[in-house]
Amino acid sequence: MVMHTRHAQDPAAEPARRRRDTGPSRALARLTVAPALLLVAWLAGSLPLLLTGVFTIGPALVLFAIVATVTLALGFRGLRRREAAPTSWWVVSGVIAVTLAFLVLQLVMCSEQIVVRRDPASYVQFATWLTDHGSLPIPQLRWAFGGGDPALTYQSPAFYQRGTELYPQFMAGLPMVLSLGGWLGGTPAMVFMAPVLGACAVLSFAGLVARLVGPGWAPAGALALALTLPMQWVSRSTYSELPALVLLLGGLALMHDVRDLRSGAARIGSLLAGLALGLTVLVRIDGLRDILPVVVFAGLLIARRRPTGPFLFGGLAVGAGAGVLEGFLLSGPYLKYLHASLNPLLLVSAAVVAGTAVMVALMRGRRTRIVLRRIAIRLCSGRGPDLAALFTVLVLIAFAVRPHVQTVVRIPGNPDDRLNASFVSLAQKANGLAVEYGRQYSENSLYWVAWYIGVPALLLAAAGAALLVRRLMRRGSAEWLLPFAVIAWTTITTLWRPGITPDHPWASRRLISIVIPGLLLLAFWALAWGVRRIRRIGYGRWVGAGTALAGVLITLVPIVVTSGGLMFSRTEQGEISAVRSLCKRIGQSASVVIVEPVTADRFSQVIRGMCGVPTARVRPGTKEQDVRRVIAKIYAAGRRPLILGGVPSSVAPYGEARQVLHIRSRQDEHTLVTPPNGTWGLLIDIWMSEPLRL
C-alpha cells in the first residue's frame, strides 16, 4: 500500500522536483559565466575610449553599465533554453565557499609589485598611466630637461622610446581592467584586482567542470585549481594570464551551453562566446595561438549549417581583431620586439583561417562531401580510434623522455634576450648548477607540470585524454570536441616551446593559462568515468562514493605538498608606502635624472607615472661633466634638478647624498630544476642629491 501510494504521487511531484533542480543548476550556470561576460563588457566599452584617448572613469563606467546589462541579459538567455544537469544548492554553496576562501587568502597574501623588476609591476605602471591620463602614448616631457640632451634617454624596461614618446610593453587588456581598481581605490585597489581576477578564474573553472564532468565534481575541481601553486602565485600579482583564463573558460562554457541549439538565443550566445575567446588576444598577444582550434570548430559548424557557426566565427574575429588593432596602434614597439615569434604566428593564423575556408567549401560541396564522409568513416572505424588513443599516450611518453635526448639552448639575438640569458646564468650559480649560457630548460616542461599538479593527476589526465580521443573519433562526447581541441593544442605547443625565462615559480605562469586547468579538467573527467564504471559493474553507491573521495584526495595531496611551502609566504611587501614616501621627498617641481642603471630600470616609469614628475636617465658612458650640463639646462628651464642612484657614491658628486627609499622584503625564488619551496631576500635602496645652482 505504501509503495503504491508513493508511485501514484511521483507524477505530481515530478514538476516540483524539476523546479528544485533547475534553481541551483541555473544559478551555478549563470554564476560561472558571469565573470567572463562582465569582462567582455568592460573591455568592449573601454577599448574604444582608449583608442580615442578619452579613457576616463565617467565614460568608462557609463558604457560598462550599459554593455554589461545587455551582455548579461543576452548571455543568460541561452541558459533558460537549455535543461541544465541536475544539481543541488550544496554544490553551488561548495563552489562559492571555495571561491571566497581563495579570494580571502589571496587578498591577505597579495604582493605589492609596483617597482619594475618583472611583468606585474610593468602592468601596474601601464595601468597607473591610463588611470591618471586615459591615453597613450606617454610623453617624454623633454622640455623639463631644457629640451633634452644627447646624454639622456627616457626608455626603461617595458617602456619603449620612439621619437619623443614612450610606448608601454604588453597589450592593453589587463591595464584597462586594473584601471578600474585604480579609479576606485588607488594603487592598493589596483593590486587587489589580481586576487579578484584569480577568484573569477577559479569560479569559471568550476563552471566548466560542472558542464563537462558533472555538477557534483565542480567544488573539487575548483579546490584543486585553487590549491595549485601557479594559481595562487599568479593571483597575488598582476599577471595577464588571469583575465585571459577567465575569458577562455567562460567562452568555452558559453559555447557549451548553446552548442546544439538553433534559437536566436543560441546565435547570441555563440557570438558572446566567440567574443570572449577572441578578446584573449587583447590581453595576451599569444592568445592568437590558443584560439586557432576555435576557428576550425567554427568552420565545422558552418559546414554543417549550424546557425551558431557564423556567429561564433564573427565574435571570434571581432574580439581577436580588436586585440590586433590595439596591439599595432598602441603597442607597436612591443610587437616589433616579438617579430621573430609573432610573424610566424600571424602566418600560421592566416593559414588556419584559409585552410578552414577550404574545409568548409569541401564539406559543403556535393561530391567532395561524400568523399570526405567516406574518409572520416574509415578513420573512425576499426582500429582507428584505438590507434589515436595510443598515439595520445605516446605523446606524453615523448615529453617524458625528452630531457634524456635533448638539451634546449638558444643563442640570444637581441639585448633583452642577452639580459635574460645573463639572468639565467646567475640563477644557475645560485642553484649550484653548471653555468650554460643560453640554456632554456624547456625540455623539462612536462616535469614542471608534474611538480604542480602531481603525478596522479597527470596520469589521470593522460588516461582521460586517451579515452576522450577514442570517444570523439567514434562520434561520442561531442560536447568535448572544442574544449579538448583547445586543451590539446595549447598544451602540446606550450610544453614544446614555453618561451619564457625558465626560473620558477616565474615559468609556471605559462602553464596556468590553459595547461594546468586543462589537465585537471581531463583528470577529473577520467576520475568521474572510473566512478561511473564501478557503479555500473554493480558495486553500489557507497563504493562509488568512496572511490570518488579517494580519487579526489589522491589528486589533491601532491598539489598541497608542492604549494604548502609557499601558500602563506608573502613577497614584495612595502613597495606602495615606500614609493609614496619617495614621491613626497621628490616634490612636484623637480626634474629627475637617474645616473645608475639598475635604479633607472626599476624607477624611471614609477617616478614619471606615480609621482607625476618628468624623469630621464643617463646613457651608458655618460661622464660627470655631461650630467652637470644637464643640471644647468634643467635650472634654465625653471625646474629643480634631482639626481638619483642606488648607492651614495653615484649621486655624491652632485650634492649631499640622502637616502630617500629603503625596501627590505622577500622576493620569489628563482629555481631551475626543482619546484620552488621558499623565497629570497630583496633589498632596494635609492639615494638622492640636489645639485646647487651654479
Side-chain angles (χ1 to χ4, degrees):
M1 182 68 180
V2 173
M3 291 181 62
H4 176 75
T5 303
R6 182 179 179 181
H7 178 75
Q9 291 177 349
D10 279 346
E14 186 65 18
R17 185 186 66 81
R18 287 184 178 178
R19 284 194 297 272
R20 288 195 300 270
D21 289 342
T22 299
S25 299
R26 288 186 175 172
L28 182 62
R30 292 181 177 184
L31 190 66
T32 53
V33 297
L37 292 172
L38 291 173
L39 202 51
V40 166
W42 179 258
L43 294 176
S46 299
L47 182 59
L49 297 176
L50 179 60
L51 293 176
T52 54
V54 290
F55 181 56
T56 54
I57 183 171
L61 290 180
V62 170
L63 277 179
F64 173 65
I66 297 172
V67 179
T69 301
V70 175
T71 302
L72 290 173
L74 295 177
F76 291 163
R77 282 183 64 193
L79 301 177
R80 292 198 297 267
R81 305 300 177 88
R82 170 179 292 281
E83 286 295 329
T87 186
S88 69
W89 287 112
W90 288 108
V91 170
V92 180
S93 301
V95 169
I96 294 175
V98 171
T99 303
L100 291 179
F102 179 81
L103 175 62
V104 171
L105 174 64
Q106 299 306 95
L107 287 172
V108 172
M109 307 305 296
C110 185
S111 71
E112 296 182 2
Q113 289 199 55
I114 65 170
V115 175
V116 180
R117 295 170 51 249
R118 278 192 149 173
D119 291 0
S122 303
Y123 280 115
V124 169
Q125 297 307 324
F126 189 163
T128 297
W129 185 266
L130 292 184
T131 301
D132 295 337
H133 300 87
S135 64
L136 291 172
I138 302 169
Q140 295 172 12
L141 304 177
R142 294 190 178 193
W143 61 267
F145 302 90
D149 190 277
L152 298 180
T153 184
Y154 304 87
Q155 65 184 358
S156 57
F159 293 89
Y160 300 97
Q161 178 174 322
R162 291 296 182 271
T164 60
E165 296 171 323
L166 297 170
Y167 290 83
Q169 191 177 0
F170 306 124
M171 308 297 285
L174 176 59
M176 287 192 293
V177 175
L178 298 180
S179 292
L180 176 61
W183 286 326
L184 297 178
T187 305
M190 191 179 290
V191 298
F192 280 162
M193 293 295 290
V196 173
L197 289 169
C200 289
V202 170
L203 182 61
S204 301
F205 181 70
L208 204 57
V209 172
R211 288 166 170 84
L212 294 174
V213 181
W217 295 93
L223 182 61
L225 181 63
L227 288 174
T228 60
L229 176 58
M231 190 69 229
Q232 293 180 23
W233 180 73
V234 297
S235 300
R236 295 175 184 181
S237 301
T238 48
Y239 287 99
S240 60
E241 282 77 8
L242 293 170
L245 185 57
V246 173
L247 290 168
L248 178 77
L249 297 174
L252 292 176
L254 284 167
M255 196 61 217
H256 174 277
D257 293 337
V258 300
R259 66 189 185 280
D260 54 7
L261 299 179
R262 296 180 178 272
S263 62
R267 294 180 175 89
I268 298 300
S270 59
L271 177 69
L272 291 173
L275 192 57
L277 294 167
L279 282 173
T280 58
V281 180
L282 181 59
V283 177
R284 299 172 65 235
I285 190 62
D286 51 358
L288 278 171
R289 176 201 62 185
D290 302 340
I291 63 174
L292 290 180
V294 188
V295 175
V296 180
F297 182 77
L300 287 173
L301 294 177
I302 293 171
R304 298 182 66 185
R305 291 181 169 80
R306 295 289 181 88
T308 52
F311 287 85
L312 174 62
F313 183 81
L316 192 69
V318 170
V324 172
L325 177 66
E326 182 278 327
F328 280 101
L329 290 180
L330 302 179
S331 305
Y334 170 55
L335 299 188
K336 184 178 181 180
Y337 163 69
L338 294 176
H339 75 278
S341 57
L342 179 59
N343 290 346
L345 177 58
L346 292 173
L347 290 175
V348 170
S349 301
V352 169
V353 173
T356 301
V358 172
M359 177 194 71
V360 171
L362 293 175
M363 291 182 67
R364 297 188 72 162
R366 182 177 178 182
R367 294 182 179 180
T368 53
R369 181 173 67 249
I370 295 174
V371 173
L372 291 175
R373 183 176 296 172
R374 289 174 179 173
I375 294 173
I377 290 174
R378 287 190 178 184
L379 289 175
C380 297
S381 60
R383 306 299 298 178
D386 296 331
L387 292 174
L390 177 61
F391 176 76
T392 303
V393 176
L394 290 177
V395 169
L396 178 71
I397 294 174
F399 276 113
V401 174
R402 186 184 179 193
H404 302 286
V405 297
Q406 183 187 29
T407 298
V408 179
V409 177
R410 187 181 71 183
I411 303 302
N414 57 62
D416 287 337
D417 288 346
R418 285 190 286 272
L419 182 62
N420 284 335
S422 299
F423 172 81
V424 173
S425 297
L426 292 175
Q428 288 170 337
K429 292 180 182 179
N431 283 266
L433 303 173
V435 176
E436 300 175 79
Y437 189 72
R439 181 76 184 273
Q440 296 293 297
Y441 295 93
S442 301
E443 67 273 12
N444 297 324
S445 56
L446 183 66
Y447 294 88
W448 298 351
V449 177
W451 292 350
Y452 296 123
I453 69 171
V455 174
L458 184 59
L459 295 178
L460 279 172
L467 289 169
L468 275 171
V469 165
R470 190 167 178 268
R471 280 195 176 192
L472 289 170
M473 290 197 67
R474 291 183 171 181
R475 299 185 179 183
S477 300
E479 72 279 3
W480 266 96
L481 181 58
L482 177 58
F484 183 82
V486 172
I487 293 169
W489 164 255
T490 306
T491 297
I492 291 173
T493 54
T494 300
L495 293 182
W496 178 252
R497 189 178 183 275
I500 192 170
T501 309
D503 62 307
H504 289 261
W506 171 260
S508 69
R509 61 182 296 203
R510 279 291 183 269
L511 305 176
I512 198 60
S513 58
I514 294 180
V515 177
I516 285 177
L519 292 179
L520 286 176
L521 186 65
L522 292 171
F524 276 98
W525 183 87
L527 185 57
W529 177 86
V531 170
R532 289 194 300 270
R533 294 282 294 181
I534 288 174
R535 289 176 176 173
R536 198 172 300 157
I537 292 173
Y539 281 101
R541 177 181 178 183
W542 291 107
V543 174
T547 303
L549 179 60
V552 170
L553 290 176
I554 290 173
T555 302
L556 294 181
V557 168
I559 293 174
V560 175
V561 169
T562 300
S563 64
L566 294 174
M567 188 178 298
F568 302 104
S569 298
R570 303 179 74 189
T571 59
E572 309 279 352
Q573 299 300 306
E575 295 185 14
I576 294 177
S577 60
V579 169
R580 285 177 174 171
S581 176
L582 173 65
C583 292
K584 290 180 180 179
R585 297 192 179 199
I586 290 175
Q588 291 298 305
S589 62
S591 292
V592 173
V593 178
I594 306 178
V595 295
E596 184 262 321
V598 174
T599 303
D601 286 346
R602 293 175 174 178
F603 286 92
S604 290
Q605 185 57 35
V606 173
I607 296 172
R608 183 184 297 116
M610 298 187 69
C611 302
V613 174
T615 306
R617 62 188 297 174
V618 300
R619 296 181 184 274
T622 300
K623 300 183 181 301
E624 182 178 330
Q625 58 265 32
D626 297 321
V627 176
R628 294 193 180 278
R629 183 181 66 247
V630 171
I631 292 171
K633 295 173 72 173
I634 293 173
Y635 272 123
R639 305 285 295 180
R640 181 170 59 97
L642 294 178
I643 310 300
L644 269 60
V647 292
S649 59
S650 62
V651 302
Y654 312 103
E656 180 186 356
R658 294 178 294 153
Q659 189 172 26
V660 291
L661 181 139
H662 175 72
I663 297 174
R664 183 181 294 275
S665 183
R666 306 294 296 176
Q667 62 175 310
D668 296 318
E669 191 175 9
H670 304 288
T671 180
L672 297 171
V673 294
T674 57
N677 59 6
T679 58
W680 290 1
L682 175 64
L683 181 64
I684 302 175
D685 290 319
I686 294 182
W687 291 78
M688 181 178 75
S689 67
E690 183 173 352
L692 297 176
R693 184 192 296 267
L694 298 179

